[in-house]
Amino acid sequence: MSTALNDLSRYPIVQAPMAGGASVPQLVGAVCEAGGLGFLAGGYKTAGGLYQEIKQVRGLTGQPFGVNLFMPPGGQPADPAAVEVYRHQLAGEATWYETALGDPDSGRDDAYDAKLAILLEDPVPVVSFTFGCPDRDTFDAFARVGTFTVVTVTSAEEAQAAQWAGADAVCVQGVEAGGHQSTHRDDPDAVLGGTGLLTLVTQVRETVQLPIVATGGIMRGAQIAAVLAAGADAAQLGTAFLVCPESGAHPLHKQALTNPLFVRTELTRAFSGRPARGLVNRFMREHGPYAPAAYPEVHHLTAPLRKAAATAGDAQGMALWAGQGHRLARDLPAGQLVEVLAAELDTALTAQSHRSTAS
């Protein structure tokens, strides 16, 4: 167990940073106050907007919390021709929702440098990174201001790169996870998929010496116990917190998680151009097979469509991000959910101990 990681919260329970509006300060504050580690999502926000949310969290809790940043895409921008073809593919959606498509060239770096500057000037307890790994200078800078750093990884190789660069911990993301897969390199030719969480935690545990936060499909305390037994130091849950009243997720999104109409999840590039897991709906079925590997160009392109669908009350046109355990979601206040998960974890650990003693 890592003292530095586990001293951040009473329970080994982390609320995932969910970009797009779910991880609002009220959710983060409630999770922290109940003994978990809450996370603000820095993605898709202005630097000023993120700073204001950090101030709000500090007004709600004196407990440690985290902020997540999207790493800017590496390499060359996406093929403009492929993006243009997809634009034509979406023309009917624009007509249906009576809105113009977004500008795919609206920006690629998500104001990363400005957000980094804010977090170094006015430090928070934890900063995590998605879609890549910063360089050693960045980690050294955070170490100097006392910030604990985490890199989200989807393979043992990515975890090793994070260790070499100087990260304090890794968040190991299994293929079961809802929302974007945090691969450090998005291979356009790769089949959409990944490694299951328990297998991946074991692979990473045997590859690096860093503390591990496990994430992907976790909805119950017994599953937290399972990932701890596999070698993780904490568990991160996203979908489980989406339905909480403090979550900023759209009401249609919350309802869809347990709506029998949505029977499964899939990985798709349809909404953003990067592989992301969501509930299968009409938009995903019709456009997923044709969406190019073009992030954030496709994200910008579809943003007005997703907003218009939400305004129209049409869940079939929204990005309904969800992990594979979505049907297990419980409509509980965030603080109560943390307490229930902690009690379930304690019960599972006690049962494990009894079985071990009996054998």
Side-chain angles (χ1 to χ4, degrees):
M1 296 285 279
S2 161
T3 303
L5 174 61
N6 290 287
D7 279 355
L8 291 166
S9 58
R10 188 184 329 148
Y11 305 123
I13 298 170
V14 180
Q15 164 251 310
M18 296 170 281
S23 299
V24 293
Q26 292 76 12
L27 176 64
V28 177
V31 169
C32 293
E33 284 295 288
L37 179 63
F39 258 93
L40 277 177
Y44 309 140
K45 291 172 186 162
T46 64
L50 176 60
Y51 178 67
Q52 291 302 318
E53 290 199 355
I54 291 171
K55 285 177 61 177
Q56 290 179 52
V57 173
R58 286 177 170 146
L60 293 168
T61 182
Q63 300 301 316
F65 66 96
V67 172
N68 174 260
L69 297 182
F70 284 173
M71 291 293 296
Q76 296 296 314
D79 177 9
V83 176
E84 187 60 25
V85 168
Y86 196 53
R87 174 190 282 279
H88 287 296
Q89 166 89 17
L90 297 174
E93 299 284 350
T95 301
W96 176 255
Y97 290 115
E98 299 180 338
T99 186
L101 293 171
D103 177 7
D105 300 316
S106 296
R108 286 175 55 80
D109 68 357
D110 198 46
Y112 174 76
D113 289 337
K115 292 171 184 175
L116 211 59
I118 285 172
L119 293 169
L120 288 170
E121 184 177 322
D122 190 7
V124 298
V126 191
V127 171
S128 69
F129 300 89
T130 294
F131 300 152
C133 180
D135 57 25
R136 180 167 289 277
D137 288 346
T138 301
F139 287 121
D140 288 346
F142 276 115
R144 285 193 294 270
V145 298
T147 295
F148 190 88
T149 50
V150 185
V151 173
T152 310
V153 301
T154 60
S155 70
E157 291 75 21
E158 291 174 354
Q160 198 165 53
Q163 179 172 269
W164 287 340
D168 292 318
V170 288
C171 179
V172 176
Q173 183 193 48
V175 72
E176 304 95 332
H180 284 96
Q181 289 286 294
S182 185
T183 49
H184 292 188
R185 178 178 175 273
D186 183 19
D187 183 357
D189 301 319
V191 176
L192 297 187
T195 305
L197 181 59
L198 287 176
T199 297
L200 189 56
V201 167
T202 305
Q203 290 174 347
V204 172
R205 180 77 290 154
E206 295 185 3
T207 303
V208 301
Q209 283 72 55
L210 295 177
I212 291 173
V213 179
T215 190
I218 301 173
M219 303 292 286
R220 296 286 188 268
Q223 292 173 291
I224 298 174
V227 295
L228 296 181
D233 300 277
Q236 178 173 283
L237 295 77
T239 306
F241 286 102
L242 265 182
V243 296
C244 294
E246 298 92 342
S247 158
H250 193 283
L252 286 175
H253 191 171
K254 294 183 180 185
Q255 295 163 13
L257 293 174
T258 53
N259 186 337
L261 183 66
F262 299 99
V263 297
R264 60 192 175 89
T265 64
E266 276 186 10
L267 289 170
T268 184
R269 296 184 188 274
F271 296 101
S272 74
R274 275 193 77 109
R277 183 174 297 283
L279 299 173
V280 177
N281 61 3
R282 178 195 60 78
F283 194 100
M284 190 187 294
R285 285 192 298 269
E286 292 183 2
H287 302 294
Y290 311 104
Y295 176 88
E297 290 84 355
V298 170
H299 164 76
H300 294 314
L301 195 63
T302 66
L305 297 178
R306 290 178 274 126
K307 184 177 180 180
T311 300
D314 182 10
Q316 295 296 334
M318 297 169 59
L320 304 173
W321 303 138
Q324 288 183 342
H326 65 94
R327 296 297 287 275
L328 297 170
R330 297 178 281 202
D331 183 7
L332 297 172
Q336 186 179 343
L337 178 57
V338 171
E339 292 167 359
V340 169
L341 289 166
E344 291 173 345
L345 170 60
D346 186 59
T347 299
L349 292 176
T350 300
Q352 286 179 6
S353 176
H354 287 164
R355 285 194 294 270
S356 176
T357 303
S359 62

